[in-house]
Structure formats: C-alpha cells, structure tokens
Amino acid sequence: MKKLTKRNENYSKWYNEIILKANIAEKSDVRGCMVIKPYGFSIWEKIKFILDKILKSTGHKNVYFPLLIPKSYFSKEYNHIKGFAKECAVITHYRLKNFNNKNIIVDQNSKLEDELIVRPTSETIIWNSYKRWINSYRDLPIRFNQWANIIRWERRPRFFLRTSEFLWQEGHTAHSTKKEAINQAKKIINIYTNFLENFIAIPVIQGIKTYSEKFAGAEETYCIESIMQDGKSLQIATSHFLGQNFSKAFDVRYTTEKGNKEYVWATSWGISTRLIGAIIMTHSDDNGLILPPKIAPLQIVIIPVYKTQEQLNLIEKLVLPLKESLEKRGISIKYDKRTYYTPGWKFNEYEIKGIPIRITIGKKDIDRGTVEVVRRDTLEKKDIIINKLEFLIPKILSKIQDNIFKTALKRKKKFLIKVDSYEEFKEKIKKNSGFIFAHWDGTEKTEKKIKIETNATIRCIPINFKPNIGKCIFTKKKSTQRVIFAKSY
C-alpha cells in the first residue's frame, strides 16, 4: 500500500487519505453527502452503544419523530427558523410523473399546501407533540432522546466534519422549573465530557457560547471544545437551555400543584458523527488511524505466519482457545488466516485501520513459547510468553487507552496559550497555535471585528476556569474573564 501523506506536509490531505485508505467512508454522488462504509459505521455503532447505555441509565428514553416537518411549525419560533433558514431542504411537491415515456418530471399538480422541511433539528415537531402530552405537573419531567439523521445544506463539505447529511443523537427534555432545566443542560455536558475523556480519550474544555454563537432559539448554549493536532478547534458537543421559547411558541403549558397554568422549561442537546472526525484528527499519526481500545470495533488482530498446514494446525491449537477465552471477557478479536494476502500486507492494513493490538505467531514463536505483540499507539514490539497472554492483554489495552488520552492531554495543555496583546494574538492565530486564552470586553461588536480581521472566533467562555480581571486585547476595556479564541473546523 502507498504511504499516507505526512501531517506536516498537508494536514487536510492526510485526513482524507486516512478515511479512504482505512475504508471508513467515501464520497457520495449526492453533493455534500458521504457513504459511511462498514468499518466506519462500526465505529459509530460502538459510540452509539456506549452513549445510549449511559443516557438510559440517567433516565432518558429513546423515541423517534418524523424526518419531515411542516414549514408552518418553523414559523412559530422566529429566532429558531432565522438561524436555520439558509440550511433547510424544502419539499414542495409530493409526486413525480412520466413525460413522453422517457423522462421523470415533477407533477406540478402535486404541490403541497404546507411545504415540508427535511429535519435540520427536531425541536419544532417535538414541541408540537409535547403540547398533546403535557397537561399537568405529573407529566413532567420528560427526558427523550432520538438517534436520527439530519439534513443541513453545507457549502464546503468535509468528511464527517461538515456534511449535508449526518447522523446524531438529539435529546429533548421538558421541565416544570427553570432551575431543573438548567441543571439538565449542565448535566448533559458533564455526561458528554465523561464519555469523551474516559471512552474516546479526547480531553475537552467545557464552556458557554457567546450570544452570537449560541444555538438558534436557545437562551444559553453549553459546549465542549477540543483541539486538533493542527492547532484548530473542533466543537464536539452542545447542550442548550431553551428557556420557555418553544413552550410559548407551541403553547405548551402545565397545571401546577396549586392549580396555576405555567409554561414548560426546555433543553435540547446532541453529539454527531463529527466525533469520528475528531477521533481521527486527535489521535492518528502518519501511519494511519489510532483508535482508543474502548471504542475500537476490533481491539486485537492475530496473524498466523506459516508455510505448511501442519504449522497452521499447531498455531490454531494455541490461538483459537485464547481467542475464545478473551472474547468471553468482552474483548473483540479477529483471527486473520487469509492466504491471498501476505503477513506484511496485513500488518499495513491493520496499522492504517488503527487496531490497538496486533499479535503475530509462527512456528519459531511456538518453539520459543512466545508471540510478538505490537501496540498501535507506540508501535512498540514485545515478545510475550504465550501462557501469560490471557492475563496481560486486558492490561495492555488499558495502558493503550491511558497513553492515548495522556498524549492528547499533553497536546491540549501545549496548545492553551495566554496572550495579553492584540499583536501577539494575531501572530499566534496566524500560525494556528491552538486555544488562545485572552481577555474580551463582552461585546458582540468586538467579537465580530476580531473575527473579520483574524478569522478567529470565540469558541467558548470557559466554565471551570477562575475569573481573571484584565483588559480586552482589542479595545483595552475592562474584562472579568479570559475566553477561548481559535480558528475552527
């Protein structure tokens, strides 16, 4: 196989090549869309399985709402539709017809009275249903989640990072009090953070979006930002406190214990297949993909090296019982004895695919009572006694998971840079130096001017950082806290 482009030569090309050569996805004939191939989809399935289990354990139930939403629903919440209007796909007719027995055309007589929007997000159709479902305080809280696909027209598509169609989960909750809804939005950000750091091995910064960057229709948007290897930021997840905007738009009120009528408080939140792009750009190297063991669909591959059937039989007497035993412990293993590829070809294939552990065993290894074990994260090769493998493999997987996270954490700390002057700020941003931690005067006007001049945005106002009095880098006005600036995907 041809080697990958190096990251320091062309980061964007390197990213695309990993996706194609690791067989994760490919371009679709539909502009802005992609085909997620079996290996890529298996990564998403692993993410979905783990996160779905966590959400259910915290009281959330899965539902499914229609893909098509009447346009009239969007008109009820102005700020929401204003934010999504340019990204929406609209269905205006419901039928095709034959033309001269050759061409298929739209039947102009099938125009819809209320045009349909292909789901860009589901707040409107869900709150239309909540109006029927919520009458009393006894009906609250509602904690629903759905796994779905989304359509938002994308001008500059990139695999996983920006596609016109993508997969995600979107949570939608309804509450009797403002405090409960805010706590729910914050709780979800903490759930996402735990999931990302402990399973995906991506260290993050929690924050609040500025007014201009918050979700359309939200009162407050909590977000998770992470830094990629090229020094650009990627927003991985968001959780929104929607206030009573949607309950008022759809007239969703409940009767309190005292008999009063009050509007419901709401949240929504989500994480998408963009996370696969984050995994690639956070962990991978010039040899290909690197996957944290906890989300790797395949954690171990065993490759036999043999010349005769007799040698293969000896190898399998050791390998097959080991494979069965480890699988019982929840470890996913592939035994690859394909004869139409050489061992060297297989080594390269699994290296590009990011399989955490590769085990090679041949006749000489059996004679020595050892096997060769290669870690994908460090490429370290080690001969391990066969009888100790079953005991050591889980420990090695754990070490790989920890090492991948520590490597990413070290990079995050390296990329968090404090600056106190606009000149230094522009210099650092020009070089994609990472998260620029700087003072801002809190105005949308200053935020906009900095964005125009440097192409950098305020990624978030950090939640867990201490207040710090200073002067805005642009206006020199008083600032009570530094914010995170960066160029982003």
Side-chain angles (χ1 to χ4, degrees):
M1 290 185 182
K2 185 180 177 183
K3 289 186 177 181
L4 295 170
T5 298
K6 294 185 182 297
R7 287 163 292 177
N8 60 8
E9 292 176 359
N10 189 325
Y11 191 80
S12 180
K13 188 177 180 182
W14 164 83
Y15 173 77
N16 288 333
E17 285 180 358
I18 283 184
I19 290 170
L20 296 172
K21 292 184 178 181
N23 230 12
I24 296 171
E26 67 180 24
K27 288 183 179 179
S28 164
D29 289 338
V30 180
R31 188 187 180 279
C33 297
M34 63 180 174
V35 176
I36 304 176
K37 301 180 83 171
Y39 187 56
F41 199 77
S42 67
I43 297 172
W44 177 242
E45 285 181 314
K46 194 72 180 282
I47 291 168
K48 181 180 175 182
F49 175 80
I50 297 168
L51 186 56
D52 191 68
K53 189 175 180 180
I54 294 171
L55 291 175
K56 285 176 179 174
S57 73
T58 52
H60 299 87
K61 296 179 180 179
N62 284 344
V63 292
Y64 186 79
F65 285 83
L67 172 69
L68 305 179
I69 303 172
K71 188 182 72 174
S72 58
Y73 289 12
F74 280 85
S75 302
K76 293 183 179 182
E77 216 294 322
Y78 175 73
N79 288 325
H80 183 64
I81 187 57
K82 183 177 70 173
F84 282 105
K86 293 181 179 180
E87 300 176 4
C88 287
V90 185
I91 296 177
T92 57
H93 294 74
Y94 63 84
R95 187 169 58 213
L96 301 173
K97 69 177 183 180
N98 290 323
F99 181 71
N100 292 335
N101 293 321
K102 291 182 180 180
N103 299 317
I104 300 294
I105 63 171
V106 174
D107 186 345
Q108 295 302 318
N109 294 322
S110 67
K111 194 175 189 309
L112 293 167
E113 289 184 17
D114 190 0
E115 292 153 335
L116 297 170
I117 310 298
V118 184
R119 175 174 54 213
T121 181
S122 298
E123 279 79 5
T124 52
I125 196 166
I126 285 176
W127 279 90
N128 186 71
S129 295
Y130 282 177
K131 183 178 180 179
R132 297 191 300 272
W133 300 348
I134 298 172
N135 296 292
S136 162
Y137 70 91
R138 299 182 186 90
D139 300 322
L140 297 169
I142 288 178
R143 296 188 181 94
F144 285 164
N145 172 66
Q146 79 166 347
W147 295 91
N149 62 332
I150 292 296
I151 295 289
R152 296 177 188 171
W153 291 128
E154 185 58 54
R155 293 180 182 179
R156 295 180 292 275
R158 293 195 67 183
F159 281 123
F160 294 105
L161 305 179
R162 293 191 177 277
T163 50
S164 295
E165 180 186 21
F166 56 89
L167 307 179
W168 77 349
Q169 58 77 208
E170 52 176 323
H172 297 271
T173 68
H175 306 269
S176 57
T177 68
K178 179 179 181 179
K179 182 179 179 181
E180 188 178 278
I182 290 174
N183 287 342
Q184 166 73 18
K186 290 179 178 179
K187 180 179 181 178
I188 290 297
I189 278 295
N190 289 328
I191 286 173
Y192 284 154
T193 297
N194 176 271
F195 171 66
L196 288 162
E197 295 193 340
N198 293 328
F199 290 91
I200 313 297
I202 296 180
V204 302
I205 290 178
Q206 293 182 347
I208 300 171
K209 287 291 186 182
T210 62
Y211 179 83
S212 64
E213 292 286 335
K214 69 184 176 70
F215 178 73
E219 288 193 15
E220 198 86 272
T221 290
Y222 301 93
C223 65
I224 288 175
E225 298 283 332
S226 187
I227 201 74
M228 303 295 102
Q229 293 184 55
D230 64 343
K232 287 186 179 179
S233 176
L234 185 70
Q235 177 183 288
I236 299 181
T238 51
S239 179
H240 316 289
F241 168 57
L242 302 176
Q244 295 176 316
N245 293 335
F246 286 92
S247 62
K248 288 180 178 179
F250 289 87
D251 193 27
V252 183
R253 292 183 286 177
Y254 74 100
T255 304
T256 68
E257 290 183 74
K258 294 181 179 180
N260 300 320
K261 282 281 188 179
E262 293 186 9
Y263 285 105
V264 176
W265 299 86
T267 78
S268 67
W269 28 273
I271 203 166
S272 75
T273 39
R274 167 178 278 211
L275 184 50
I276 295 177
I279 291 167
I280 295 168
M281 292 197 295
T282 302
H283 301 312
S284 303
D285 62 17
D286 290 344
N287 297 304
L289 189 63
I290 292 178
L291 292 176
K294 287 184 180 180
I295 57 98
L298 182 61
Q299 295 168 307
I300 300 171
V301 61
I302 302 175
I303 300 173
V305 179
Y306 62 94
K307 292 181 179 179
T308 66
Q309 185 62 43
E310 182 181 5
Q311 290 178 353
L312 180 61
N313 292 341
L314 285 171
I315 292 169
E316 290 187 343
K317 281 184 180 180
L318 291 170
V319 166
L320 297 182
L322 173 67
K323 179 176 181 290
E324 184 179 355
S325 177
L326 289 174
E327 285 175 335
K328 286 180 179 178
R329 300 176 70 168
I331 296 172
S332 55
I333 306 177
K334 179 178 180 178
Y335 172 53
D336 188 351
K337 63 173 184 179
R338 291 176 295 173
T339 57
Y340 41 88
Y341 292 117
T342 65
W345 194 96
K346 295 175 188 177
F347 295 164
N348 191 61
E349 177 190 18
Y350 294 117
E351 190 168 274
I352 287 176
K353 287 190 170 184
I355 310 304
I357 293 177
R358 186 184 80 222
I359 296 174
T360 306
I361 181 168
K363 175 64 168 58
K364 291 181 180 179
D365 298 297
I366 293 175
D367 291 341
R368 291 192 298 264
T370 63
V371 296
E372 183 185 75
V373 176
V374 181
R375 286 175 50 163
R376 176 62 187 89
D377 60 327
T378 61
L379 299 179
E380 176 190 8
K381 296 180 181 179
K382 195 171 184 179
D383 290 330
I384 294 179
I385 296 171
I386 293 172
N387 293 337
K388 291 185 177 181
L389 267 180
E390 187 177 344
F391 170 73
L392 291 175
I393 284 295
K395 291 188 174 184
I396 297 171
L397 288 170
S398 180
K399 286 181 180 179
I400 293 171
Q401 183 81 25
D402 290 344
N403 181 57
I404 289 174
F405 178 73
K406 286 176 182 176
T407 300
L409 183 60
K410 185 178 179 181
R411 183 188 308 117
K412 174 194 158 189
K413 291 177 179 178
K414 174 187 172 184
F415 275 135
L416 185 58
I417 302 168
K418 284 185 180 180
V419 302
D420 291 303
S421 72
Y422 193 49
E423 289 70 28
E424 186 183 5
F425 176 86
K426 288 188 287 186
E427 180 187 339
K428 297 294 184 185
I429 283 293
K430 189 176 181 180
K431 296 178 181 178
N432 288 342
S433 297
F435 288 136
I436 309 300
F437 199 36
H439 281 287
W440 165 59
D441 63 14
T443 68
E444 192 173 345
K445 182 179 179 181
T446 297
E447 180 184 8
K448 186 176 181 180
K449 284 184 176 180
I450 292 174
K451 182 178 179 179
I452 291 171
E453 289 188 13
T454 67
N455 202 30
T457 56
I458 298 177
R459 303 312 304 157
C460 69
I461 303 166
I463 293 174
N464 300 318
F465 288 27
K466 293 180 180 179
N468 179 259
I469 303 297
K471 292 183 179 180
C472 173
I473 56 170
F474 191 81
T475 63
K476 304 301 181 184
K477 292 180 181 179
K478 184 179 178 181
S479 166
T480 58
Q481 184 180 0
R482 293 178 187 268
V483 298
I484 300 291
F485 287 90
K487 288 185 178 177
S488 65
Y489 284 97

